[in-house]
Amino acid sequence: MSGLRVDDYLRRLGLRDGGHPSVEGLFRLHAAHVERVPYENLEIWLGRPTTIDPADSWRRIMRGRGGYCCHLNGAFSLLLGRLGYRVTRHFAGVQGTPDAPAGATGNHLALTVRGLPSQDNPDGVWFVDTGLGDGIHEPLPLVAGAYEQGPFRYRLRPSESEPGGWRFDHDPRGSFTGMDFRPGPSEMAAFQATHEHLSTSPDSGFVRVLAVQRRDAAGVDLLTGLVLKRVGSVPPASSPGPVSEDSTTLERQEDYFAALADVFGLTLDDVPPPERAGLWERLAAAHERWLAERPATA
């Protein structure tokens, strides 16, 4: 893993140093990661195959990009390990809608960190996940209960579908219903088949819809196809306040790429103009199909 410099990663996160493993340090790293490294599946729409090798994901993030769970949590777990944290990768599954089956299907990689007790978490085990898009902003104690972060209300509880595992219930306003993960450690190879399906299958949501999400303390920015949406207050927020959900459709190519750069930090410097134009054409066509398939409203 030559060339993977911790200082470069920390600089990407806007941090001067990682410090020694601590609860405060873990919170700082996690919040910086979800704020600066967006959840996105742009490479699929650009026709650029990716791997889920954490070292490759690290390099991808250094190039100013993000990724989805296997990329984000894979690279973040590698960073945490290099900084001395006791991090474990878990085989998990995101339940997209209430009528979808729950359980660890392998479409998600989850993380826990051990050995960091606090007054509120004497066992010292933390649920860590930078790959859930509009999920958590900071780690949660791996303790059953309800938790609030910004506009969202979460719940952690023992999983009903994975014996000994855990269930994360998202807020009803979230982009998915929940996530289950198994208790033991998992190798990255366990996610390879699902990664290939998510990256290439016409049935994959990643193939059908280009999604970009970026979490902060006050809420989340979401770009789904051509629809840009903000859930929560505009940061910085001095108090939770009322939850707003403002959305707009980006109908011009220049507005779309400006939003990628300004809202999500994705300048796409490595994408030449012809590829950008092709991406825009595919997005516009997908948006038209979505409009045509929407149920008519009264």
Side-chain angles (χ1 to χ4, degrees), residues 196-212:
E196 292 176 1
H197 172 81
L198 292 173
S199 301
T200 62
S201 172
D203 298 327
S204 165
F206 287 160
V207 172
R208 289 185 277 112
V209 180
L210 200 164
V212 188

Side-chain angles (χ1 to χ4, degrees), residues 52-54 70 89 91 186-196:
I52 55 172
D53 181 332
C70 286
R89 299 170 182 146
F91 194 81
S186 180
E187 299 294 330
M188 290 302 299
F191 303 94
Q192 182 59 39
T194 303
H195 166 67
E196 292 176 1

Side-chain angles (χ1 to χ4, degrees), residues 33-54:
H33 207 284
V34 297
E35 290 176 7
R36 298 230 176 190
V37 185
Y39 177 98
E40 50 99 345
N41 60 330
L42 274 159
E43 297 293 70
I44 293 174
W45 278 69
L46 289 168
R48 300 177 174 184
T50 63
T51 77
I52 55 172
D53 181 332

Side-chain angles (χ1 to χ4, degrees), residues 27 118 120-121 125-127 139-144 147 156 166:
F27 272 56
S118 69
D120 297 330
N121 187 13
V125 185
W126 299 87
F127 168 54
L140 297 178
L142 198 61
V143 177
Y147 300 90
L156 275 176
W166 286 84

Side-chain angles (χ1 to χ4, degrees), residues 155-171:
R155 185 184 176 201
L156 275 176
R157 56 188 172 90
S159 174
E160 297 173 350
S161 57
E162 298 294 338
W166 286 84
R167 167 75 176 189
F168 169 81
D169 291 313
H170 204 342
D171 189 283

Side-chain angles (χ1 to χ4, degrees), residues 42-43 46 48 62-65 257 260-261 265-276:
L42 274 159
E43 297 293 70
L46 289 168
R48 300 177 174 184
M62 292 306 97
R63 293 195 299 269
R65 303 296 290 278
F257 289 108
L260 283 182
L266 295 167
T267 58
L268 303 190
D269 294 334
D270 61 330
V271 181
E275 284 192 58
R276 288 185 179 227

